Amino acid sequence: MKTHRVQPGQAVHLDRIDPQDASGFDGGKADGLKKLEKLTARLDELQELLYADHTRAMLIVLQGMDTAGKDGTIRRVFSGVNPEGVRVASFRVPSALESDHDFLWRAHQQVPARGEMVLFNRSHYEDVLITRVHGLIQRPVWERRYREINEFERSLTEEGTTLLKFFLHISRAEQKLRLKERLDDPTKHWKFRESDVEERQRWTAYMEAYEEALTRTSTPWAPWYLVPSNRKWYRDLFVSQQIVNALEGLRMHYPPLPREFRTTRVR
Ligand code: AMP
Ligand code: MG
């Protein structure tokens, strides 16, 4: 599969990336869904191994515009995984207590422990995105935050956490369709918020904020992946393949039976 990975130092231009692209997989939707099924089963095994091995942790960051599919990705990619094995942390407008702390405080509280896999549905990146777009912070602050984010993520990886960051890239036209669906489909009304249409008006400002954030925080230790996400099957397939690859690369093993149990007999 294509890597869709942002190389450190590479300038991201989102308008040059086709959200409809599915060329990274040779096969269509039907084959893609079959492969996804295999990957979800494999992910379940690897998650168990991660827990059993208990030396590593995995943090997966999902970012994207409203309707880009952060919730859908979580639902599909982890559909086969033991619910005890994964935890989702969602980041909303900061509470009073959170606002009284540095912006990384609430993120740090949610990072995975050894053996754990945690999904960030939005993340500390909101603090260089929505805050910037709404004029709550100015350039010196977001510049400083890029550095702080990189240092934070570096320390996590040095302590044994594997970090994968996915930007789910949809087109503005696709977002329009998905928002309309939220208004038209009774089973989707609950998802609709007024802020969805308001934020949509700031699309260009968001793209600028994203481009700079993705450019400045794709590091050798915590790379960004730009996932073409207009096609949901391709988005899910790509994300699960990356997670499986990353876990397989960790060379984990099931711990051996401790010496004192080697002569134990079950009667
Ligand atoms: P949702 O993900 O649809 O539940 O929406 C959560 C909302 O919280 C989004 O509009 C985010 O932009 C907003 N949000 C998340 N983190 C922050 C933050 N640090 N500052 C301001 N708004 C935030
Ligand atoms: Mg939303």
Side-chain angles (χ1 to χ4, degrees):
M1 270 190 110
K2 257 192 187 167
T3 70
H4 299 303
R5 182 181 172 130
V6 181
Q7 297 307 321
Q10 178 196 334
V12 172
H13 298 284
L14 290 172
D15 55 355
R16 295 186 201 159
I17 294 153
D18 180 8
Q20 201 75 27
D21 184 19
S23 65
F25 176 66
D26 23 77
K29 181 173 175 176
D31 289 339
L33 289 177
K34 263 185 229 156
K35 180 147 189 225
L36 180 61
E37 215 172 296
K38 288 196 188 118
L39 286 168
T40 49
R42 180 73 184 128
L43 190 55
D44 185 44
E45 294 168 357
L46 287 164
Q47 182 282 317
E48 192 187 71
L49 181 57
L50 179 77
Y51 188 77
D53 177 74
H54 229 81
T55 62
R56 310 286 314 219
M58 177 163 271
L59 175 58
I60 297 157
V61 170
L62 293 175
Q63 283 288 158
M65 297 294 284
D66 289 312
T67 77
K70 298 179 288 294
D71 305 271
T73 303
I74 294 169
R75 192 166 62 238
R76 299 297 306 281
V77 171
F78 294 88
S79 60
V81 177
N82 177 356
E84 267 200 294
V86 287
R87 180 160 62 82
V88 179
S90 298
F91 294 88
R92 307 226 154 77
V93 180
S95 67
L97 180 65
E98 288 168 345
S99 302
D100 279 347
H101 288 81
D102 69 275
F103 80 102
L104 290 170
W105 182 74
R106 64 176 184 163
H108 208 159
Q109 286 182 317
Q110 298 288 349
V111 301
R114 264 176 255 291
E116 232 193 342
M117 188 184 277
V118 171
L119 293 152
F120 276 11
N121 184 346
R122 301 188 192 268
S123 64
H124 44 294
Y125 283 94
E126 292 294 322
D127 292 284
V128 292
L129 295 164
I130 187 167
T131 47
R132 167 177 170 167
V133 169
H134 285 252
L136 304 173
I137 58 167
Q138 303 305 318
R139 176 162 291 278
V141 175
W142 70 71
E143 288 283 349
R144 165 167 68 69
R145 287 184 178 177
Y146 294 147
R147 175 175 53 76
E148 288 163 347
I149 288 172
N150 289 339
E151 287 166 1
F152 168 60
E153 293 180 352
R154 180 167 204 152
S155 82
L156 293 179
T157 57
E158 285 175 347
E159 291 283 326
T161 299
T162 299
L163 243 147
L164 297 173
K165 303 184 293 194
F166 298 103
F167 171 68
L168 308 182
H169 183 40
I170 55 165
S171 61
R172 194 157 188 244
E174 179 68 22
Q175 191 196 47
K176 187 174 185 176
L177 291 175
R178 294 185 186 183
L179 285 176
K180 276 186 164 171
E181 229 173 271
R182 288 186 180 181
L183 288 173
D184 297 342
D185 178 348
T187 68
K188 293 189 173 169
H189 290 347
W190 64 275
K191 287 192 189 184
F192 187 81
R193 302 219 192 128
E194 199 177 357
S195 67
D196 290 347
V197 281
E198 286 162 13
E199 295 309 306
R200 177 174 166 75
Q201 298 311 309
R202 306 175 198 254
W203 185 274
T204 311
Y206 267 107
M207 290 304 110
E208 278 172 25
Y210 262 114
E211 283 181 343
E212 197 174 355
L214 296 167
T215 299
R216 298 286 298 278
T217 62
S218 200
T219 53
W221 53 91
W224 275 106
Y225 295 89
L226 310 181
V227 189
S229 297
N230 274 14
R231 298 174 206 251
K232 295 174 183 173
W233 68 267
Y234 185 77
R235 171 198 77 197
D236 298 338
L237 180 61
F238 179 79
V239 170
S240 51
Q241 183 75 72
Q242 293 312 308
I243 298 170
V244 165
N245 289 353
L247 287 169
E248 283 181 338
L250 291 180
R251 290 186 299 274
M252 300 177 288
H253 58 270
Y254 284 101
L257 194 65
R259 185 174 291 278
E260 67 266 32
F261 296 144
R262 288 195 193 148
T263 53
T264 304
R265 293 282 167 272
V266 182
R267 295 175 204 283

